[in-house]
Amino acid sequence: MSRAKKARRASRAAKSPKGKAGAVRPREGADAAEEVQTAQQAVGNFLRATRAAQKLTQAQVASMTRESPWRLSRAAISAIERGQNFPGLEAMLALSNVLYVDPKELIERARLSSVVPVDITGITYEELEEKALRHFWAGEFRQAISVYDAMAEKLALEPAEDREERAKRIAQLEVSRSTALRRAGALHAALATAERAVSLAHKYPAIQARAYIALATTQCERGHLPLARDATQRAIDLAQNGGARLQGWAWMSRAQVHFVSGRSEDSREAY
């Protein structure tokens, strides 16, 4: 082979995004910086929405971290929530203890963050909800999660004229987020979100029934069948006055758990 041909091949190989073994090169420069910033913003938005749902100020969270080995200032919390910094190990543990968030959930949310942030300017909550549903039913679960996160951010930023309605919306939103997270394969985040939904929906039996259905489905996928069966029973009990559709969902959830457990006759009866 001539030296000219060798030089051309070397030049093409250098321009190719794949190396000799076919491995894709890591992103560099602006693309990598954008992905890091998007992940930081996704985690920050989630932590801010979680704090707001628990009716805590940044100063209160900072004060609560003083009781743990990992202390955070209000300024540090503000920087994390605004997406300026990604929480390190100590900050992650401190915030997890105060906000009752599984650290694995933060990692999964960073991994699932969309490269295209959702702009909530001039968009109503109902329009965002429709957009999330379109993404979900199209199988675009990461995009749906991004929209759900934007909805949580909108609820956190807007003044609460009706606290009861806001609490109800947050509970419904967490049920939807849990389902999307599970479909995206983020089972730790889906489980933690479903558990939050159960707690937030304590005044709303129908929403709590849906939360238990989401919890049961996630526990079933994780292989925790006794916990899944318990969640389906709670869903069935709560769905008694929630209409035929909700009762059907609860019983279908029970049937799924029985089927995975190898109890085909019980599964057929539940269906």
Side-chain angles (χ1 to χ4, degrees):
M1 185 183 296
S2 67
R3 288 184 178 180
K5 285 185 177 181
K6 288 182 178 180
R8 285 196 295 272
R9 285 194 174 186
S11 176
R12 285 196 296 269
K15 294 177 181 178
S16 173
K18 296 186 178 182
K20 188 175 182 180
V24 178
R25 291 180 179 179
R27 293 175 183 259
E28 297 178 355
D31 288 342
E34 183 180 359
E35 289 189 0
V36 170
Q37 178 59 42
T38 301
Q40 289 179 182
Q41 193 65 59
V43 171
N45 290 344
F46 167 66
L47 289 172
R48 180 172 59 221
T50 303
R51 173 181 59 76
Q54 298 180 33
K55 301 177 182 178
L56 295 171
T57 65
Q58 291 178 347
Q60 287 172 322
V61 172
S63 178
M64 293 166 75
T65 65
R66 297 194 187 105
E67 300 175 4
S68 72
W70 312 286
R71 298 183 179 184
L72 289 177
S73 66
R74 192 204 64 79
I77 294 169
S78 176
I80 291 171
E81 289 188 356
R82 284 183 283 121
Q84 293 182 341
N85 294 325
F86 190 83
L89 179 59
E90 292 184 355
M92 194 179 297
L93 291 172
L95 292 171
S96 297
N97 285 342
V98 172
L99 300 177
Y100 302 102
V101 174
D102 188 335
K104 294 177 182 177
E105 181 177 6
L106 297 180
I107 295 171
E108 285 187 335
R109 284 184 176 276
R111 179 175 62 83
L112 290 172
S113 60
S114 172
V115 296
V116 181
V118 178
D119 185 5
I120 62 176
T121 306
I123 303 178
T124 67
Y125 187 89
E126 289 73 18
E127 289 171 337
L128 285 171
E129 190 171 26
E130 290 178 5
K131 185 175 183 179
L133 286 172
R134 286 197 299 270
H135 283 308
F136 182 88
W137 292 116
E140 300 165 349
F141 303 119
R142 291 193 179 194
Q143 289 88 335
I145 292 166
S146 293
V147 179
Y148 286 135
D149 287 343
M151 291 166 66
E153 181 183 4
K154 192 172 186 67
L155 286 175
L157 293 175
E158 291 183 346
E161 297 180 359
D162 187 340
R163 293 186 178 275
E164 287 296 319
E165 181 61 26
R166 180 178 181 176
K168 186 176 180 179
R169 281 189 167 186
I170 291 173
Q172 290 174 325
L173 175 59
E174 290 296 79
V175 174
S176 299
R177 283 210 291 188
S178 175
T179 304
L181 285 163
R182 177 180 59 80
R183 296 295 295 272
L187 295 185
H188 287 293
L191 179 65
T193 306
E195 289 174 340
R196 277 197 302 275
V198 167
S199 177
L200 290 167
H202 66 280
K203 293 183 179 179
Y204 315 104
I207 300 175
Q208 196 171 53
R210 290 180 54 214
Y212 272 117
I213 292 170
L215 182 61
T217 306
T218 304
Q219 292 286 28
C220 189
E221 288 199 15
R222 298 179 77 226
H224 298 169
L225 299 180
L227 294 174
R229 280 194 293 271
D230 179 68
T232 59
Q233 185 57 57
R234 291 174 181 269
I236 290 169
D237 293 341
L238 287 163
Q240 291 299 318
N241 298 319
R245 186 177 182 181
L246 182 59
Q247 291 176 35
W249 285 345
W251 279 104
M252 286 177 66
S253 178
R254 166 62 65 86
Q256 179 190 19
V257 175
H258 282 324
F259 182 80
V260 173
S261 302
R263 298 164 60 178
S264 56
E265 289 299 323
D266 291 335
S267 178
R268 187 178 299 111
E269 183 180 348
Y271 273 123

